[in-house]
Amino acid sequence: MAFKLTEGYLESIMEGAELATPVLQILAIKKIVSGNANKDRYRLIVSDGRHSVSHAMLASQNNEQVLQAGEHTIVKVTRYITSLFNNSSGKEQRILLLLDVDIVASGSQVGSTLGNPTPLTEAKKNEPASSNNYTKGNSSSNTFVGMSGHSSNSSLLPHNCNNSVSLENQMIHPICSLSPYQNKWVIKARVSNKSAIRTWSNSKGEGKLFSMDLIDESGEIRCTGFKEMVDKYYDYLQVDKIYFISKCQIKAANKKFCTLKNDYEMTMTNETTIQECQGEDNGIPSTRYNFTTIDKIGNMEVDSLVDVCAICKEASELQAFQAKSSGRELKKKEVVLVDQSNCSIILTLWGTDAENFDGTNNPVVVIKGARIREFGGGKNLSFSVGGLLKINPDIPESFRIRGWYDQEGCSGNIVDISAKSSSFNATFMSFKQVKDHGLGNAEKGDYYQNVGTILLMSSNNLTYKACPTESCNKKIIDLENGMYRCEKCNREFPNFKYRLLTRMNVADWSGNTWISMFNSEGETVMGMTAQEVGEQIESNSEAAADIVEKVNFKQFLFKCRAKMETYNDEARLKTIAVEVKPINYKDFNNQIINKIKQIMG
DNA sequence: CCCCCCCC
């Protein structure tokens, strides 16, 4: 198969021309920067068959497909940028950044270098950009300006900026090219999000800070200003405006607190210069989202951050309450979100976000950086600092989901990701606590869990003969003619099934209690099926004693329902184990550690 | 240099 490259394109591109979809071959791939997470940065040698360019870089979202395709791969470049920067010897160097590529043929399909490409000479690469001064793939924007001839009006500079040189005259670097290894740069970026000013006070000191999200056509990065930087820049920086920014300190990003797609984040320093870009803002996008559909959240890690675009199906009233742990007065609103995955999830808004949220008319809710939480086995989302919340924003995804909801989503069957998987995540309590707290007065009983030791199990009536109908567990009457009658089903059967109904005395350090349990819980405790238990006892009257003895001193996690019942005019607490599980010592130890921490204050 | 962000 013959592959065709867009011969001669590279020369023009590296001189600043805009050419639609160059088709290039990747001759070499070299890792240049290793990120803290999963995004490494790669330098490429690319060829158009006539020339090769060694100063090419791959935008990290393309890493996976290009690495997989390997050297000799042919790509169609759907979006690119060139940018000037100073190389190590202080010379200007133009680099080619591949923002979006489609694989035309993988390296193994191509197998060799096409044509006989010669390296573009230094002289060629260092020629000034063509007349319009900008270099861009597929639109007329000038996000990354080469050397610009025009001078800026210094009166436009804000008085509180410390620089004397206008950044506007300098070359602009794409955000995705920033790294700790290169500190001479200027970016031109839009502020897509700005936090409130926050103060802190801990053992290391105290202070105040704010952070903002910066975005350009190549990528995004978070920037934080501490202390005096707050005074200097907080009011000056406005969301949605565009700034020239230089000389921040670049360091590895902590992914735990930021969904921005960048391995780095930056911090303002005394050297930092920020100037508003008064002119053209074309081509610089506003917030960039990385949306996850709700169905996926069910399998995602608790505490991680996601971006969602969903419809508010319903919203609760504003609820105010006091946090048990901190005593703080909290306000929240629970919003049920749905999306095209036909799943719903609860989003909790706090404080003013909760107060301000209006759920009428099913608005589109777009969130960047919602925190995944878990409650009772279900997942939910919590929105708070560092995130961005928009209602009915003007983005394509918003219109798309609006259409989906109005046409079909509003009447569809929805799976609730926030649904609690089991009846509890009930509190761990000792039997003494159960007694002291007077559990059992709630109408449906009170739930708790306990890790306990079986002291004694009654060997009488371990099993009963039950109706063989699958959905019916009613005790049957032995008609003693080979038939069994179920009153509930009003039928006679030639067979029955064994069911367990056991009572055992369970102890922990604080006391003991009698717990009843039904079939499956009893099977777990005995390690036998009800059928096996029934048959063994049937064939050997001594079997029951053996079975009971083997259970003694076994330990389990008991999930219990306690309810006060009146029996012969006497109130007593009836406890049923609704779930019995082997002890997960890791979880159990965490419970104990948390308790110790509580006790220690 | 923050990074707590809440509740059942």
Side-chain angles (χ1 to χ4, degrees):
Chain A
M1 178 172 174
F3 299 105
K4 209 163 161 47
L5 304 179
T6 49
E7 224 172 275
Y9 269 39
L10 276 176
E11 188 173 358
S12 305
I13 286 169
M14 297 310 276
E15 286 172 356
E18 303 171 40
L19 298 174
T21 59
V23 178
L24 304 175
Q25 185 177 29
I26 295 171
L27 301 184
I29 305 172
K30 190 184 169 201
K31 182 150 77 170
I32 49 172
V33 173
S34 192
N36 66 328
N38 52 358
K39 291 281 185 255
D40 297 316
R41 191 86 69 204
Y42 292 90
R43 180 170 166 177
L44 308 176
I45 299 175
V46 294
S47 157
D48 64 3
R50 185 181 302 170
H51 291 113
S52 64
V53 166
S54 60
H55 290 92
M57 268 170 67
L58 194 59
S60 58
Q61 65 267 25
N62 298 303
N63 283 358
E64 202 178 331
Q65 58 162 342
V66 169
L67 286 178
Q68 205 164 24
E71 291 179 354
H72 296 130
T73 292
I74 297 176
V75 292
K76 187 166 91 180
V77 182
T78 51
R79 225 157 53 91
Y80 70 88
I81 284 169
T82 65
S83 174
L84 284 171
F85 76 103
N86 287 342
N87 66 18
S88 50
S89 49
K91 267 174 76 179
E92 269 173 21
Q93 181 74 61
R94 187 176 289 276
I95 62 162
L96 169 64
L97 182 71
L98 305 182
L99 293 175
D100 275 314
V101 301
D102 294 334
I103 306 285
V104 174
S106 69
S108 58
Q109 290 173 281
V110 182
S112 62
T113 301
L114 301 183
N116 187 20
T118 54
L120 264 182
T121 63
E122 281 301 310
K124 283 279 182 204
K125 279 182 278 183
N126 285 336
E127 273 173 13
S130 54
S131 59
N132 58 5
N133 275 324
Y134 58 75
T135 56
K136 173 72 186 46
N138 61 348
S139 81
S140 61
S141 82
N142 63 341
T143 309
F144 303 117
V145 182
M147 289 301 292
S148 160
H150 67 88
S151 63
S152 83
N153 180 349
S154 60
S155 67
L156 291 176
L157 298 179
H159 61 84
N160 65 342
C161 281
N162 67 349
N163 65 302
S164 50
V165 184
S166 170
L167 296 177
E168 225 170 314
N169 285 348
Q170 303 186 23
M171 54 203 162
I172 304 303
H173 293 70
I175 284 176
C176 74
S177 74
L178 300 183
S179 80
Y181 313 104
Q182 219 274 96
N183 59 9
K184 276 198 80 177
W185 49 262
V186 180
I187 58 169
K188 179 180 172 184
R190 187 189 301 278
V191 174
S192 63
N193 193 18
K194 182 175 85 163
S195 78
I197 297 170
R198 204 167 77 246
T199 58
W200 84 88
S201 174
N202 58 31
S203 57
K204 290 180 218 155
E206 54 180 57
K208 59 182 173 182
L209 75 141
F210 78 104
S211 66
M212 60 179 172
D213 298 343
L214 298 171
I215 185 163
D216 73 8
E217 200 161 37
S218 79
E220 51 189 352
I221 193 164
R222 179 156 291 177
C223 178
T224 305
F226 290 96
K227 299 174 182 174
E228 57 270 33
M229 294 301 134
V230 178
D231 303 324
K232 192 165 177 181
Y233 289 121
Y234 188 78
D235 292 333
Y236 178 60
L237 290 159
Q238 301 287 314
V239 170
D240 282 340
K241 288 192 174 173
I242 294 171
Y243 300 84
F244 296 103
I245 299 172
S246 77
K247 290 185 181 160
C248 293
Q249 184 198 333
I250 310 244
K251 57 174 188 175
N254 188 337
K255 295 286 180 192
K256 204 181 160 207
F257 302 106
C258 184
T259 54
L260 300 197
K261 270 202 169 162
N262 200 321
D263 291 339
Y264 303 112
E265 59 189 25
M266 53 197 212
T267 305
M268 295 173 195
T269 71
N270 287 325
E271 304 286 291
T272 296
T273 310
I274 300 178
Q275 288 173 8
E276 188 179 340
C277 171
Q278 303 283 355
E280 66 302 310
D281 70 345
N282 38 351
I284 300 193
S286 43
T287 313
R288 185 172 282 127
Y289 298 98
N290 181 24
F291 290 123
T292 298
T293 51
I294 292 171
D295 57 330
K296 303 261 182 359
I297 297 172
N299 296 320
M300 290 175 71
E301 226 171 289
V302 172
D303 264 357
S304 56
L305 294 167
V306 284
D307 300 352
V308 289
C309 174
I311 292 282
C312 164
K313 193 160 180 273
E314 53 196 65
S316 74
E317 295 295 302
L318 188 69
Q319 301 164 50
F321 57 93
Q322 204 174 16
K324 271 181 188 161
S325 50
S326 63
R328 279 167 73 177
E329 196 63 46
L330 299 176
K331 280 179 193 158
K332 73 162 185 182
K333 192 175 272 190
E334 286 189 345
V335 178
V336 178
L337 298 179
V338 292
D339 72 7
Q340 292 98 321
S341 68
N342 284 309
C343 288
S344 68
I345 193 164
I346 290 173
L347 163 74
T348 307
L349 300 175
W350 301 93
T352 50
D353 288 322
E355 286 173 41
N356 296 338
F357 183 83
D358 180 3
T360 50
N361 297 324
N362 304 105
V364 176
V365 176
V366 167
I367 291 189
K368 188 172 178 65
R371 183 82 60 185
I372 300 177
R373 301 276 172 206
E374 187 270 339
F375 178 60
K379 293 271 174 47
N380 55 67
L381 296 175
S382 183
F383 177 74
S384 58
V385 299
L388 180 66
L389 170 69
K390 287 189 176 176
I391 307 300
N392 294 321
D394 285 338
I395 58 171
E397 292 89 343
S398 173
F399 298 116
R400 213 172 296 142
I401 200 164
R402 171 91 273 143
W404 165 80
Y405 186 77
D406 293 348
Q407 280 162 39
E408 48 174 314
C410 56
S411 54
N413 276 337
I414 301 291
V415 175
D416 183 12
I417 298 296
S418 298
K420 293 161 191 64
S421 63
S422 69
S423 53
F424 31 72
N425 209 2
T427 335
F428 268 83
M429 289 178 111
S430 68
F431 293 128
K432 182 173 187 300
Q433 281 177 308
V434 169
K435 211 162 117 187
D436 292 349
H437 286 92
L439 254 60
N441 290 313
E443 198 176 30
K444 288 181 177 172
D446 290 312
Y447 290 86
Y448 68 95
Q449 48 186 321
N450 177 291
V451 167
T453 305
I454 297 168
L455 294 187
L456 181 67
M457 183 164 91
S458 163
S459 62
N460 298 328
N461 303 321
L462 280 181
T463 63
Y464 68 94
K465 293 172 180 168
C467 174
T469 310
E470 199 180 344
S471 56
C472 180
N473 295 321
K474 179 90 180 149
K475 186 175 177 176
I476 43 94
I477 300 159
D478 190 342
L479 299 176
E480 312 220 344
N481 60 0
M483 295 298 280
Y484 305 90
R485 175 169 175 76
C486 174
E487 291 289 346
K488 191 177 169 195
C489 298
N490 193 24
R491 264 183 71 183
E492 291 176 20
F493 301 92
N495 60 332
F496 60 86
K497 67 187 176 205
Y498 281 111
R499 298 273 302 172
L500 299 173
L501 177 59
T502 55
R503 257 166 66 80
M504 52 199 82
N505 192 275
V506 178
D508 66 7
W509 63 272
S510 71
N512 63 77
T513 199
W514 282 95
I515 299 178
S516 302
M517 56 196 81
F518 297 105
N519 206 57
S520 66
E521 293 73 34
E523 288 182 336
T524 302
V525 166
M526 292 179 231
M528 299 167 71
T529 64
Q531 199 64 27
E532 289 167 349
V533 174
E535 283 169 7
Q536 283 190 19
I537 294 171
E538 183 88 354
S539 64
N540 171 10
S541 57
E542 303 295 306
D546 288 340
I547 291 167
V548 162
E549 196 172 320
K550 285 192 189 115
V551 162
N552 285 346
F553 305 116
K554 276 192 178 179
Q555 290 187 313
F556 292 96
L557 169 73
F558 296 93
K559 297 190 171 184
C560 299
R561 181 176 62 227
K563 182 158 171 29
M564 287 309 279
E565 287 186 353
T566 308
Y567 189 71
N568 289 342
D569 285 341
E570 197 191 340
R572 40 163 98 171
L573 188 66
K574 175 155 189 185
T575 304
I576 292 168
V578 292
E579 198 176 332
V580 176
K581 288 166 99 176
I583 300 162
N584 177 332
Y585 282 97
K586 194 177 160 211
D587 289 353
F588 184 46
N589 286 344
N590 281 335
Q591 291 291 336
I592 294 172
I593 289 164
N594 285 340
K595 264 210 182 107
I596 292 170
K597 279 183 182 160
Q598 275 174 26
I599 291 166
M600 307 285 285

